[in-house]
Amino acid sequence: MNDAAPAPTPAPAPRRRARVRAPELIGKGGWLNTGGKEITLADLRGKCVVVDFWTFCCINCLHVLDELRELEEKHRDTVVIVGVHSPKFVHEADHAAVVDAVERYEVHHPVLDDPELATWKQYAVRAWPTLVVIDPEGYVVAQHAGEGHAHAIERLVGELEAEHAAKGTLRRGDGPYVAPEPVATDLRFPGKALLLANGNLLVSDSTRHQLVELAPDGESVVRRVGSGERGFGPDAFSEPQGLALLPDGRVVVADTVNHALRTYDPATGAVETVAGTGRQWWQGSPTSGPALEVDLSSPWDVAWWQGRVWIAMAGVHQLWTWDPAAGTVQVAAGTTNEGLVDGPAAEAWFAQPSGLAATEDRLWIADSETSALRYAEPDGADGYVIRSAVGTGLFDFGHRDGDAAQALLQHPLGVTALPDGSVAVCDTYNHALRRFDPATGQVTTLATDLREPSDAVLVGEDIVVVESARHRLTRLRLPEEAVRVDAVAHRTRRAATDVAPGTLRLDVVFRAPAGQKLDTRYGPSTRLLVSSTPPELLTAGEGPGTDLFRELALNPEVTEGVLHVSAMAASCDDDPANEYPACHVHQQDWGVPVRVTPDGAARLPLVLAGLDA
């Protein structure tokens, strides 16, 4: 009998990877979820750190927060996720708004508030969201832009754990997260509201994962629907938002983070799933078919119009429809490209449509990321056209009244049709209720000092506004006179990238994660789409292609603008023995402000996954 311990199996040699010393995490807003403690990278030494650059307006960032939850729980003693909040809109630089967002979206890790984008610049980030992985010795070992990278980061974390456990540089134990004290209110970051036939108000209580029925006073709770725990069962929702009445009296609910439509019957209390699978839609998935077999992506609002339920599908920048009679869903407008492009519905671009309101001949749309009010209207047999009433694109926003062509909004989330044919807009990041009158083409302000209004509903001669960040409904008498405000205009806070005139080499950096390869079984596995604002910025290089690089020709007469780049790559597990390997889609949209100068760069690298060598 041999009592000697068996010789340990040698650990596999760690994969060689590029390493760059991680810059310090700094931000004037300070730290949240740490119990008031300032955190440095030295405090995190010995941990695998995932830095999540996000901003709370961004639907893709919210998707990534959900993707990271499993990683966060599974590797709680070795991994620290750090959110770096990097604002796009002026309102997002308000520290109180960041505090609200961290609670609203149940962020359970430390968050650095970086209103001046200091850490964003140090890490050369160009897109929301971006994930950066730092090893236990303080070196950057990977960077990923966009969604869909959780599987790759999970594998990398496993490699880092094994490598640094062997080296003695891995430190296990609790991280620096300290949960804030809960606050008791009847509603917590409510999203949308609906007037029921009995005169009560139904509200989507988004952070509490419930529907709440309130008495006509808008305050007294009549009943709650849902367990209050995040889930997808008959008694659970996950951050529900939009509500709309069906002709049969049921309410259709946009169950946003469950990527589904549910119905709620006020008469019986029954909740039923009518569209969506609970999985998020990805490029290449079906865009029509039986409603319970087709994936959806963050439906944010719903409206009954022209015999169907229209869906503001914020997660893919489209409008979809659900036909209750046929039991089917399909895309109705939008290409999945993010931006503001009008025209035939199939060719239009949206950017996180988040509010809908139907009239007889128009469907009004609050297109949040373009700070725009838009609408769909019939155009010939079974066709629709998309037009913009207010707003010009992704990077111009503010609070300016007057002629619609020059008026400005800031990330509106709600829209309400008024009796006189005009439209009220919940101008969320301006904390205001605005009005657009199609008859005059004028934009006015109806009310201010509303904290993140996200929806409004008509009740008699009053309008009841959902003040999401004040956790309440506020009743206003529709004023005859508009409120006067000082006009302000803003552009995105990001600094422009200096590029040289002439030819600009665009490189989208993509390295397939370890154990995977590009999926070329059915043709090219990569896609690149390039455009610009203004269109005259590019004289060559715009349009689609399958290579992740492109030679762009810049117009010498245009000195600044924005390059819009959309990239996608599909990778599959590299195992010849597996007949059905798991495949993953990596995708990201960038809007890169550029300034043409003689000393600018001749190459523009955008990291989709990996590090730019």
Side-chain angles (χ1 to χ4, degrees), residues 571-601:
S571 62
C572 293
D573 292 344
D574 187 9
D575 181 0
N578 187 351
E579 186 178 357
Y580 302 104
C583 296
H584 311 276
V585 175
H586 316 259
Q587 63 185 70
Q588 176 60 25
D589 294 333
W590 292 266
V592 184
V594 295
R595 181 173 53 237
V596 182
T597 64
D599 299 328

PDB file of all heavy atoms in Angstrom, residues 571-601:
ATOM      1  N   SER A 571     -18.930  34.115 -33.793  1.00  0.00           N
ATOM      2  CA  SER A 571     -17.911  33.115 -33.497  1.00  0.00           C
ATOM      3  C   SER A 571     -18.561  31.892 -32.878  1.00  0.00           C
ATOM      4  O   SER A 571     -19.590  31.997 -32.205  1.00  0.00           O
ATOM      5  CB  SER A 571     -16.845  33.677 -32.556  1.00  0.00           C
ATOM      6  OG  SER A 571     -17.420  34.034 -31.313  1.00  0.00           O
ATOM      7  N   CYS A 572     -17.959  30.714 -33.117  1.00  0.00           N
ATOM      8  CA  CYS A 572     -18.492  29.460 -32.598  1.00  0.00           C
ATOM      9  C   CYS A 572     -17.389  28.693 -31.878  1.00  0.00           C
ATOM     10  O   CYS A 572     -16.190  28.885 -32.162  1.00  0.00           O
ATOM     11  CB  CYS A 572     -19.049  28.595 -33.724  1.00  0.00           C
ATOM     12  SG  CYS A 572     -20.524  29.291 -34.508  1.00  0.00           S
ATOM     13  N   ASP A 573     -17.796  27.819 -30.969  1.00  0.00           N
ATOM     14  CA  ASP A 573     -16.832  26.986 -30.254  1.00  0.00           C
ATOM     15  C   ASP A 573     -16.026  26.162 -31.260  1.00  0.00           C
ATOM     16  O   ASP A 573     -16.571  25.559 -32.189  1.00  0.00           O
ATOM     17  CB  ASP A 573     -17.545  26.042 -29.284  1.00  0.00           C
ATOM     18  CG  ASP A 573     -18.191  26.797 -28.126  1.00  0.00           C
ATOM     19  OD1 ASP A 573     -17.827  27.974 -27.926  1.00  0.00           O
ATOM     20  OD2 ASP A 573     -19.041  26.223 -27.429  1.00  0.00           O
ATOM     21  N   ASP A 574     -14.717  26.151 -31.059  1.00  0.00           N
ATOM     22  CA  ASP A 574     -13.797  25.483 -31.988  1.00  0.00           C
ATOM     23  C   ASP A 574     -13.510  24.067 -31.490  1.00  0.00           C
ATOM     24  O   ASP A 574     -12.475  23.796 -30.884  1.00  0.00           O
ATOM     25  CB  ASP A 574     -12.501  26.290 -32.107  1.00  0.00           C
ATOM     26  CG  ASP A 574     -11.578  25.746 -33.188  1.00  0.00           C
ATOM     27  OD1 ASP A 574     -12.022  24.861 -33.944  1.00  0.00           O
ATOM     28  OD2 ASP A 574     -10.425  26.204 -33.266  1.00  0.00           O
ATOM     29  N   ASP A 575     -14.463  23.190 -31.720  1.00  0.00           N
ATOM     30  CA  ASP A 575     -14.320  21.803 -31.282  1.00  0.00           C
ATOM     31  C   ASP A 575     -14.788  20.908 -32.424  1.00  0.00           C
ATOM     32  O   ASP A 575     -15.999  20.735 -32.642  1.00  0.00           O
ATOM     33  CB  ASP A 575     -15.162  21.553 -30.031  1.00  0.00           C
ATOM     34  CG  ASP A 575     -15.024  20.130 -29.522  1.00  0.00           C
ATOM     35  OD1 ASP A 575     -14.273  19.347 -30.145  1.00  0.00           O
ATOM     36  OD2 ASP A 575     -15.664  19.799 -28.505  1.00  0.00           O
ATOM     37  N   PRO A 576     -13.859  20.314 -33.181  1.00  0.00           N
ATOM     38  CA  PRO A 576     -14.250  19.497 -34.348  1.00  0.00           C
ATOM     39  C   PRO A 576     -15.158  18.336 -33.983  1.00  0.00           C
ATOM     40  O   PRO A 576     -15.929  17.856 -34.821  1.00  0.00           O
ATOM     41  CB  PRO A 576     -12.907  18.996 -34.885  1.00  0.00           C
ATOM     42  CG  PRO A 576     -11.884  19.957 -34.346  1.00  0.00           C
ATOM     43  CD  PRO A 576     -12.405  20.406 -33.014  1.00  0.00           C
ATOM     44  N   ALA A 577     -15.102  17.878 -32.734  1.00  0.00           N
ATOM     45  CA  ALA A 577     -15.913  16.729 -32.339  1.00  0.00           C
ATOM     46  C   ALA A 577     -17.363  17.111 -32.069  1.00  0.00           C
ATOM     47  O   ALA A 577     -18.224  16.237 -31.950  1.00  0.00           O
ATOM     48  CB  ALA A 577     -15.312  16.071 -31.097  1.00  0.00           C
ATOM     49  N   ASN A 578     -17.631  18.425 -31.959  1.00  0.00           N
ATOM     50  CA  ASN A 578     -18.989  18.885 -31.636  1.00  0.00           C
ATOM     51  C   ASN A 578     -19.712  19.256 -32.927  1.00  0.00           C
ATOM     52  O   ASN A 578     -19.348  20.217 -33.602  1.00  0.00           O
ATOM     53  CB  ASN A 578     -18.920  20.092 -30.696  1.00  0.00           C
ATOM     54  CG  ASN A 578     -20.291  20.501 -30.189  1.00  0.00           C
ATOM     55  OD1 ASN A 578     -21.321  20.003 -30.661  1.00  0.00           O
ATOM     56  ND2 ASN A 578     -20.316  21.428 -29.258  1.00  0.00           N
ATOM     57  N   GLU A 579     -20.718  18.455 -33.263  1.00  0.00           N
ATOM     58  CA  GLU A 579     -21.444  18.699 -34.515  1.00  0.00           C
ATOM     59  C   GLU A 579     -22.282  19.969 -34.449  1.00  0.00           C
ATOM     60  O   GLU A 579     -22.558  20.607 -35.458  1.00  0.00           O
ATOM     61  CB  GLU A 579     -22.349  17.505 -34.814  1.00  0.00           C
ATOM     62  CG  GLU A 579     -23.050  17.586 -36.164  1.00  0.00           C
ATOM     63  CD  GLU A 579     -23.896  16.361 -36.451  1.00  0.00           C
ATOM     64  OE1 GLU A 579     -23.884  15.423 -35.616  1.00  0.00           O
ATOM     65  OE2 GLU A 579     -24.567  16.335 -37.501  1.00  0.00           O
ATOM     66  N   TYR A 580     -22.703  20.358 -33.222  1.00  0.00           N
ATOM     67  CA  TYR A 580     -23.547  21.539 -33.062  1.00  0.00           C
ATOM     68  C   TYR A 580     -22.893  22.482 -32.055  1.00  0.00           C
ATOM     69  O   TYR A 580     -23.325  22.588 -30.905  1.00  0.00           O
ATOM     70  CB  TYR A 580     -24.948  21.133 -32.587  1.00  0.00           C
ATOM     71  CG  TYR A 580     -25.633  20.174 -33.525  1.00  0.00           C
ATOM     72  CD1 TYR A 580     -25.725  18.820 -33.207  1.00  0.00           C
ATOM     73  CD2 TYR A 580     -26.169  20.611 -34.732  1.00  0.00           C
ATOM     74  CE1 TYR A 580     -26.351  17.923 -34.071  1.00  0.00           C
ATOM     75  CE2 TYR A 580     -26.797  19.721 -35.600  1.00  0.00           C
ATOM     76  CZ  TYR A 580     -26.880  18.385 -35.264  1.00  0.00           C
ATOM     77  OH  TYR A 580     -27.494  17.518 -36.121  1.00  0.00           O
ATOM     78  N   PRO A 581     -21.818  23.166 -32.465  1.00  0.00           N
ATOM     79  CA  PRO A 581     -21.124  24.042 -31.522  1.00  0.00           C
ATOM     80  C   PRO A 581     -21.966  25.247 -31.133  1.00  0.00           C
ATOM     81  O   PRO A 581     -22.786  25.719 -31.923  1.00  0.00           O
ATOM     82  CB  PRO A 581     -19.879  24.480 -32.311  1.00  0.00           C
ATOM     83  CG  PRO A 581     -20.303  24.374 -33.750  1.00  0.00           C
ATOM     84  CD  PRO A 581     -21.234  23.194 -33.808  1.00  0.00           C
ATOM     85  N   ALA A 582     -21.763  25.717 -29.911  1.00  0.00           N
ATOM     86  CA  ALA A 582     -22.443  26.949 -29.470  1.00  0.00           C
ATOM     87  C   ALA A 582     -21.842  28.137 -30.199  1.00  0.00           C
ATOM     88  O   ALA A 582     -20.618  28.251 -30.333  1.00  0.00           O
ATOM     89  CB  ALA A 582     -22.291  27.111 -27.959  1.00  0.00           C
ATOM     90  N   CYS A 583     -22.711  29.037 -30.663  1.00  0.00           N
ATOM     91  CA  CYS A 583     -22.257  30.211 -31.409  1.00  0.00           C
ATOM     92  C   CYS A 583     -22.711  31.487 -30.701  1.00  0.00           C
ATOM     93  O   CYS A 583     -23.705  31.491 -29.984  1.00  0.00           O
ATOM     94  CB  CYS A 583     -22.792  30.181 -32.845  1.00  0.00           C
ATOM     95  SG  CYS A 583     -22.157  28.776 -33.811  1.00  0.00           S
ATOM     96  N   HIS A 584     -21.961  32.541 -30.936  1.00  0.00           N
ATOM     97  CA  HIS A 584     -22.192  33.797 -30.235  1.00  0.00           C
ATOM     98  C   HIS A 584     -22.058  34.947 -31.219  1.00  0.00           C
ATOM     99  O   HIS A 584     -21.199  34.930 -32.105  1.00  0.00           O
ATOM    100  CB  HIS A 584     -21.185  33.978 -29.096  1.00  0.00           C
ATOM    101  CG  HIS A 584     -21.068  32.777 -28.211  1.00  0.00           C
ATOM    102  ND1 HIS A 584     -21.919  32.533 -27.159  1.00  0.00           N
ATOM    103  CD2 HIS A 584     -20.199  31.729 -28.250  1.00  0.00           C
ATOM    104  CE1 HIS A 584     -21.576  31.401 -26.570  1.00  0.00           C
ATOM    105  NE2 HIS A 584     -20.540  30.889 -27.209  1.00  0.00           N
ATOM    106  N   VAL A 585     -22.911  35.958 -31.054  1.00  0.00           N
ATOM    107  CA  VAL A 585     -22.873  37.144 -31.902  1.00  0.00           C
ATOM    108  C   VAL A 585     -22.308  38.308 -31.092  1.00  0.00           C
ATOM    109  O   VAL A 585     -22.745  38.569 -29.970  1.00  0.00           O
ATOM    110  CB  VAL A 585     -24.275  37.508 -32.430  1.00  0.00           C
ATOM    111  CG1 VAL A 585     -24.234  38.804 -33.214  1.00  0.00           C
ATOM    112  CG2 VAL A 585     -24.802  36.375 -33.317  1.00  0.00           C
ATOM    113  N   HIS A 586     -21.326  38.988 -31.642  1.00  0.00           N
ATOM    114  CA  HIS A 586     -20.735  40.162 -31.021  1.00  0.00           C
ATOM    115  C   HIS A 586     -21.098  41.358 -31.913  1.00  0.00           C
ATOM    116  O   HIS A 586     -20.820  41.330 -33.112  1.00  0.00           O
ATOM    117  CB  HIS A 586     -19.209  40.036 -30.930  1.00  0.00           C
ATOM    118  CG  HIS A 586     -18.737  38.680 -30.472  1.00  0.00           C
ATOM    119  ND1 HIS A 586     -18.335  38.428 -29.192  1.00  0.00           N
ATOM    120  CD2 HIS A 586     -18.629  37.494 -31.139  1.00  0.00           C
ATOM    121  CE1 HIS A 586     -17.981  37.154 -29.076  1.00  0.00           C
ATOM    122  NE2 HIS A 586     -18.150  36.571 -30.244  1.00  0.00           N
ATOM    123  N   GLN A 587     -21.688  42.386 -31.357  1.00  0.00           N
ATOM    124  CA  GLN A 587     -22.076  43.510 -32.198  1.00  0.00           C
ATOM    125  C   GLN A 587     -22.009  44.815 -31.412  1.00  0.00           C
ATOM    126  O   GLN A 587     -22.142  44.831 -30.188  1.00  0.00           O
ATOM    127  CB  GLN A 587     -23.482  43.315 -32.768  1.00  0.00           C
ATOM    128  CG  GLN A 587     -24.581  43.246 -31.722  1.00  0.00           C
ATOM    129  CD  GLN A 587     -25.922  42.921 -32.358  1.00  0.00           C
ATOM    130  OE1 GLN A 587     -26.142  41.809 -32.819  1.00  0.00           O
ATOM    131  NE2 GLN A 587     -26.811  43.891 -32.378  1.00  0.00           N
ATOM    132  N   GLN A 588     -21.771  45.897 -32.130  1.00  0.00           N
ATOM    133  CA  GLN A 588     -21.700  47.208 -31.497  1.00  0.00           C
ATOM    134  C   GLN A 588     -21.910  48.285 -32.548  1.00  0.00           C
ATOM    135  O   GLN A 588     -21.504  48.143 -33.706  1.00  0.00           O
ATOM    136  CB  GLN A 588     -20.339  47.411 -30.808  1.00  0.00           C
ATOM    137  CG  GLN A 588     -20.112  48.787 -30.202  1.00  0.00           C
ATOM    138  CD  GLN A 588     -21.140  49.138 -29.125  1.00  0.00           C
ATOM    139  OE1 GLN A 588     -21.718  48.268 -28.515  1.00  0.00           O
ATOM    140  NE2 GLN A 588     -21.359  50.407 -28.909  1.00  0.00           N
ATOM    141  N   ASP A 589     -22.569  49.370 -32.125  1.00  0.00           N
ATOM    142  CA  ASP A 589     -22.692  50.583 -32.933  1.00  0.00           C
ATOM    143  C   ASP A 589     -21.857  51.675 -32.274  1.00  0.00           C
ATOM    144  O   ASP A 589     -21.942  51.873 -31.059  1.00  0.00           O
ATOM    145  CB  ASP A 589     -24.154  51.042 -33.012  1.00  0.00           C
ATOM    146  CG  ASP A 589     -25.032  50.059 -33.761  1.00  0.00           C
ATOM    147  OD1 ASP A 589     -24.501  49.341 -34.623  1.00  0.00           O
ATOM    148  OD2 ASP A 589     -26.242  50.018 -33.477  1.00  0.00           O
ATOM    149  N   TRP A 590     -21.068  52.366 -33.059  1.00  0.00           N
ATOM    150  CA  TRP A 590     -20.308  53.510 -32.569  1.00  0.00           C
ATOM    151  C   TRP A 590     -20.780  54.780 -33.280  1.00  0.00           C
ATOM    152  O   TRP A 590     -21.047  54.770 -34.479  1.00  0.00           O
ATOM    153  CB  TRP A 590     -18.812  53.380 -32.881  1.00  0.00           C
ATOM    154  CG  TRP A 590     -18.057  52.316 -32.158  1.00  0.00           C
ATOM    155  CD1 TRP A 590     -17.348  52.450 -30.993  1.00  0.00           C
ATOM    156  CD2 TRP A 590     -17.868  50.947 -32.578  1.00  0.00           C
ATOM    157  NE1 TRP A 590     -16.755  51.252 -30.666  1.00  0.00           N
ATOM    158  CE2 TRP A 590     -17.053  50.320 -31.607  1.00  0.00           C
ATOM    159  CE3 TRP A 590     -18.314  50.204 -33.662  1.00  0.00           C
ATOM    160  CZ2 TRP A 590     -16.671  48.982 -31.706  1.00  0.00           C
ATOM    161  CZ3 TRP A 590     -17.955  48.874 -33.767  1.00  0.00           C
ATOM    162  CH2 TRP A 590     -17.142  48.281 -32.795  1.00  0.00           C
ATOM    163  N   GLY A 591     -20.848  55.868 -32.540  1.00  0.00           N
ATOM    164  CA  GLY A 591     -20.964  57.191 -33.129  1.00  0.00           C
ATOM    165  C   GLY A 591     -19.729  57.959 -32.695  1.00  0.00           C
ATOM    166  O   GLY A 591     -19.585  58.311 -31.525  1.00  0.00           O
ATOM    167  N   VAL A 592     -18.792  58.184 -33.600  1.00  0.00           N
ATOM    168  CA  VAL A 592     -17.491  58.759 -33.247  1.00  0.00           C
ATOM    169  C   VAL A 592     -17.415  60.191 -33.763  1.00  0.00           C
ATOM    170  O   VAL A 592     -17.281  60.415 -34.974  1.00  0.00           O
ATOM    171  CB  VAL A 592     -16.330  57.930 -33.838  1.00  0.00           C
ATOM    172  CG1 VAL A 592     -14.996  58.498 -33.383  1.00  0.00           C
ATOM    173  CG2 VAL A 592     -16.456  56.461 -33.447  1.00  0.00           C
ATOM    174  N   PRO A 593     -17.502  61.199 -32.879  1.00  0.00           N
ATOM    175  CA  PRO A 593     -17.288  62.576 -33.328  1.00  0.00           C
ATOM    176  C   PRO A 593     -15.840  62.742 -33.795  1.00  0.00           C
ATOM    177  O   PRO A 593     -14.908  62.320 -33.108  1.00  0.00           O
ATOM    178  CB  PRO A 593     -17.565  63.408 -32.070  1.00  0.00           C
ATOM    179  CG  PRO A 593     -18.317  62.505 -31.135  1.00  0.00           C
ATOM    180  CD  PRO A 593     -17.826  61.131 -31.435  1.00  0.00           C
ATOM    181  N   VAL A 594     -15.673  63.315 -34.968  1.00  0.00           N
ATOM    182  CA  VAL A 594     -14.319  63.517 -35.501  1.00  0.00           C
ATOM    183  C   VAL A 594     -14.132  64.974 -35.903  1.00  0.00           C
ATOM    184  O   VAL A 594     -15.082  65.675 -36.255  1.00  0.00           O
ATOM    185  CB  VAL A 594     -14.038  62.602 -36.726  1.00  0.00           C
ATOM    186  CG1 VAL A 594     -14.048  61.139 -36.321  1.00  0.00           C
ATOM    187  CG2 VAL A 594     -15.027  62.850 -37.852  1.00  0.00           C
ATOM    188  N   ARG A 595     -12.879  65.404 -35.813  1.00  0.00           N
ATOM    189  CA  ARG A 595     -12.485  66.737 -36.268  1.00  0.00           C
ATOM    190  C   ARG A 595     -11.302  66.560 -37.201  1.00  0.00           C
ATOM    191  O   ARG A 595     -10.312  65.908 -36.854  1.00  0.00           O
ATOM    192  CB  ARG A 595     -12.115  67.623 -35.073  1.00  0.00           C
ATOM    193  CG  ARG A 595     -11.709  69.040 -35.448  1.00  0.00           C
ATOM    194  CD  ARG A 595     -11.530  69.914 -34.210  1.00  0.00           C
ATOM    195  NE  ARG A 595     -10.610  69.293 -33.260  1.00  0.00           N
ATOM    196  CZ  ARG A 595     -10.926  69.011 -31.992  1.00  0.00           C
ATOM    197  NH1 ARG A 595     -12.142  69.288 -31.534  1.00  0.00           N
ATOM    198  NH2 ARG A 595     -10.049  68.454 -31.186  1.00  0.00           N
ATOM    199  N   VAL A 596     -11.385  67.104 -38.403  1.00  0.00           N
ATOM    200  CA  VAL A 596     -10.336  66.938 -39.412  1.00  0.00           C
ATOM    201  C   VAL A 596      -9.283  68.027 -39.220  1.00  0.00           C
ATOM    202  O   VAL A 596      -9.575  69.218 -39.326  1.00  0.00           O
ATOM    203  CB  VAL A 596     -10.923  66.993 -40.832  1.00  0.00           C
ATOM    204  CG1 VAL A 596      -9.827  66.780 -41.863  1.00  0.00           C
ATOM    205  CG2 VAL A 596     -12.023  65.951 -41.002  1.00  0.00           C
ATOM    206  N   THR A 597      -8.059  67.593 -38.894  1.00  0.00           N
ATOM    207  CA  THR A 597      -6.954  68.530 -38.675  1.00  0.00           C
ATOM    208  C   THR A 597      -5.689  67.951 -39.313  1.00  0.00           C
ATOM    209  O   THR A 597      -5.544  66.726 -39.414  1.00  0.00           O
ATOM    210  CB  THR A 597      -6.688  68.749 -37.175  1.00  0.00           C
ATOM    211  OG1 THR A 597      -6.253  67.524 -36.587  1.00  0.00           O
ATOM    212  CG2 THR A 597      -7.934  69.242 -36.455  1.00  0.00           C
ATOM    213  N   PRO A 598      -4.736  68.805 -39.721  1.00  0.00           N
ATOM    214  CA  PRO A 598      -3.516  68.305 -40.365  1.00  0.00           C
ATOM    215  C   PRO A 598      -2.718  67.357 -39.488  1.00  0.00           C
ATOM    216  O   PRO A 598      -2.048  66.449 -39.994  1.00  0.00           O
ATOM    217  CB  PRO A 598      -2.727  69.598 -40.654  1.00  0.00           C
ATOM    218  CG  PRO A 598      -3.762  70.664 -40.720  1.00  0.00           C
ATOM    219  CD  PRO A 598      -4.815  70.280 -39.733  1.00  0.00           C
ATOM    220  N   ASP A 599      -2.786  67.540 -38.175  1.00  0.00           N
ATOM    221  CA  ASP A 599      -2.016  66.689 -37.265  1.00  0.00           C
ATOM    222  C   ASP A 599      -2.803  65.486 -36.759  1.00  0.00           C
ATOM    223  O   ASP A 599      -2.356  64.782 -35.849  1.00  0.00           O
ATOM    224  CB  ASP A 599      -1.542  67.515 -36.061  1.00  0.00           C
ATOM    225  CG  ASP A 599      -0.629  68.663 -36.466  1.00  0.00           C
ATOM    226  OD1 ASP A 599       0.105  68.494 -37.464  1.00  0.00           O
ATOM    227  OD2 ASP A 599      -0.668  69.715 -35.802  1.00  0.00           O
ATOM    228  N   GLY A 600      -3.971  65.239 -37.341  1.00  0.00           N
ATOM    229  CA  GLY A 600      -4.809  64.143 -36.873  1.00  0.00           C
ATOM    230  C   GLY A 600      -4.281  62.776 -37.278  1.00  0.00           C
ATOM    231  O   GLY A 600      -3.343  62.650 -38.079  1.00  0.00           O
ATOM    232  N   ALA A 601      -4.898  61.737 -36.733  1.00  0.00           N
ATOM    233  CA  ALA A 601      -4.490  60.363 -37.000  1.00  0.00           C
ATOM    234  C   ALA A 601      -4.987  59.912 -38.365  1.00  0.00           C
ATOM    235  O   ALA A 601      -6.031  60.348 -38.842  1.00  0.00           O
ATOM    236  CB  ALA A 601      -5.033  59.438 -35.914  1.00  0.00           C
TER     237      ALA A 601
END
